[in-house]
Amino acid sequence: MTVTSAPGRLYIDGAWHTGQGATREVINPATGKVVTTVPDATPGEVDAAVDAARRAFDSGVWSGLAGRDRSRVLYRAAALIAEHAEELALLETTDTGKPLQFSRMVDVGNTITHFEYYAGLAYSIDGATRQTAMPALAYTVREAIGVVAAVTPFNFPMILSTSKIAPALAAGNTVVHKPAEDTPLTALRIAELLTEAGLPPGVLNVVTGAGPVGDSLVRHPGVDKVAFTGSTAVGRRIATAAAETLKPVTVELGGKSAHIVFADADLDAAGQAAVSGFVFNTGQFCMGGARLLVQRPVYDEMLARVVGGATHVPVGDPLAPETVVGPMAGQRHLDKVRGYVELAASEGATVVAGGDRIDTLDGFYFAPTVIADVDQGSRLVQEEIFGPVVTVQPFDTEQEAVAMANGTSFGLAAGLHTRDVARAHRVAGALKAGLVWVNTWGMLDVTVPFGGYKQSGYGREYGPEGLHEYTQTKSVLLPLA
């Protein structure tokens, strides 16, 4: 495979720039081999990227365009991404280890959809007119905020960057993007494609590197807004840093989603959803179904179904069409998951499927793992593992299920399976999560907003709400007398 973005370069002000600092290796998780190198951006290079974004914003070369003109560029970007879909899918798979079929359908497909959707919304950034209690007329307008820092994680590089970049650009902002240190390749290529689509220089910039690069970007006085997806621990630090200059922040953080199966559920559908819910993207999914709660009359049957599914799910080469589960994103991610599984034995839990690295495969492969006999207070239940691991717990009553589901510090997503429509609405209303699935798992749509409750963050992505996160409201009052 040819890596399109040349090694050792950053994308600033519409052009490639040679990095002046250290470089880091980009490793293919399926083979453990080096694909290319990218720079750790220096503080000066972060300054250059922010300065380019600031000049572009202040000049009005993008923010000053009519919504329809920004829309046309974003539609062209979507078309170019579609034209280069196979290249981008292969880059994403090489970078992350996810199955190529998923990179095509999920990652590239959703990236195209995001640019198309927010291209459409660029036409409709409207304010409102209202009669006041005073003898005056008032109107409001939504304006771009300015320079946006977008900091994204390794698990869905294209989708999680696009869910920030597309609405930010649609609203007229400029962006400096810091992708995850492990998975920067598609971010660099998409920036190049957006320039080809007509995005003016400086409107989208990409700086690569590890945590200190992101910290420099978030704290930069030239940044007006921060959008972050990642762990709760890092999210807290980012929110604290942004607070120093009162930057608005959107943070979509960790999750520990409960997947509830009631005794009246369609167990065939529930079993399939339970397995896919925790192995999808090798469990590196903040809304993965990491906690399976099963009503006691069907507990043994559901556990057997999940163990059977986990044991037989195809694991292997991401380029093979039959593969469903690829490798973890890297060695440290694999080691973290292994550490949690080792904790299970010390706490008296039972590993009933999987439980270790797959040594017969090159790369960072971990077997889909099912753990039973887990206490609600266990770290296995309370902390985000972020790998292909599910805990299975029994419950007796609806009230107990809701209490267990809500009994962590997270609240990103949740789901339930039941044939009782009234129960479905009742339980969905009681779950403290920003997104609730009924009789399915993992369904997302760009028109439907989602975000966190509790320690899973604040702000919303997707839908019109996702666009509004990148605008600020100005009010104008006109006396009638």
Side-chain angles (χ1 to χ4, degrees), residues 59 66 68 113 175 295 319 329 366-367 378 461:
S59 71
R68 69 176 180 274
T113 300
V175 179
Q295 200 159 24
L319 300 180
F366 199 88
S378 167
E461 295 192 315

Side-chain angles (χ1 to χ4, degrees), residues 286-301:
C286 54
M287 292 183 285
R291 294 187 293 142
L292 185 62
L293 311 180
V294 185
Q295 200 159 24
R296 205 172 296 275
V298 296
Y299 176 83
D300 290 340
E301 182 176 354

Side-chain angles (χ1 to χ4, degrees), residues 14-384:
W16 296 110
H17 289 257
T18 301
Q20 299 302 306
T23 60
R24 67 175 48 250
E25 296 175 338
V26 177
I27 295 173
N28 183 337
T31 64
K33 296 179 180 179
V34 176
V35 176
T36 186
T37 60
V38 293
D40 270 328
T42 65
E45 289 161 346
V46 172
D47 287 343
V50 174
D51 290 347
R54 171 58 58 197
R55 289 193 304 272
F57 183 79
D58 290 347
S59 71
V61 68
W62 182 251
S63 60
L65 294 180
R68 69 176 180 274
D69 295 322
R70 293 198 298 271
S71 176
R72 287 168 182 159
V73 174
L74 296 180
Y75 273 124
R76 285 199 295 272
L80 278 171
I81 291 167
E83 182 180 331
H84 293 269
E86 190 63 17
E87 173 197 353
L88 289 166
L90 190 55
L91 270 178
E92 193 82 332
T93 288
T94 302
D95 221 1
T96 65
K98 66 181 63 188
L100 182 59
Q101 60 174 329
F102 290 173
S103 292
R104 288 178 181 133
M105 294 185 296
V106 177
D107 299 74
V108 177
N110 277 279
T111 297
I112 295 166
T113 300
H114 270 84
F115 276 107
E116 290 176 339
Y117 177 72
Y118 285 108
L121 287 192
Y123 272 93
S124 56
I125 305 175
D126 298 326
T129 304
R130 64 196 70 185
Q131 178 69 53
T132 69
M134 303 177 291
L137 183 68
Y139 66 86
T140 61
V141 293
R142 288 190 175 273
E143 297 180 333
I145 296 174
V147 176
V148 174
V151 182
T152 56
F154 67 88
N155 54 332
F156 290 94
M158 277 194 286
I159 295 175
L160 293 174
S161 61
T162 302
S163 66
K164 297 163 181 56
I165 292 169
L169 295 180
N173 300 282
T174 58
V175 179
V176 180
H177 178 208
K178 206 291 284 186
E181 60 199 86
D182 296 326
T183 56
L185 299 184
T186 51
L188 293 164
R189 181 63 175 128
I190 285 176
E192 191 175 38
L193 289 175
L194 261 66
T195 297
E196 186 178 339
L199 201 68
V203 175
L204 174 61
N205 310 272
V206 180
V207 291
T208 55
V213 179
D215 188 65
S216 295
L217 181 58
V218 168
R219 294 178 184 275
H220 200 288
V223 168
D224 301 304
K225 152 86 181 182
V226 177
F228 171 74
T229 296
S231 72
T232 296
V234 176
R236 289 193 192 101
R237 295 200 296 270
I238 283 179
T240 300
E244 294 174 1
T245 49
L246 296 180
K247 295 179 177 71
V249 179
T250 303
V251 284
E252 191 254 287
L253 306 177
K256 193 69 178 178
S257 303
H259 196 166
I260 305 169
V261 178
F262 289 97
D264 67 340
D266 178 338
L267 297 188
D268 287 336
Q272 292 174 10
V275 174
S276 65
F278 87 90
V279 304
F280 175 64
N281 207 50
T282 320
Q284 298 167 135
F285 181 30
C286 54
M287 292 183 285
R291 294 187 293 142
L292 185 62
L293 311 180
V294 185
Q295 200 159 24
R296 205 172 296 275
V298 296
Y299 176 83
D300 290 340
E301 182 176 354
M302 271 299 298
L303 180 60
R305 286 173 180 266
V306 173
V307 168
T311 303
H312 293 97
V313 65
V315 181
D317 181 1
L319 300 180
E322 68 275 10
T323 297
V324 173
V325 176
M328 302 288 297
Q331 183 67 53
R332 73 177 183 275
H333 307 296
L334 186 147
D335 290 343
K336 176 187 173 185
V337 172
R338 177 186 276 162
Y340 274 104
V341 175
E342 291 172 351
L343 177 67
S346 68
E347 292 188 343
T350 304
V351 177
V352 291
D356 208 347
R357 181 174 189 155
I358 302 176
D359 292 326
T360 56
L361 297 170
D362 294 330
F364 310 115
Y365 289 88
F366 199 88
T369 299
V370 183
I371 303 176
D373 306 317
V374 189
D375 184 77
Q376 178 70 14
S378 167
R379 289 177 56 201
L380 296 164
V381 170
Q382 295 295 323
E383 298 177 9
E384 186 176 40

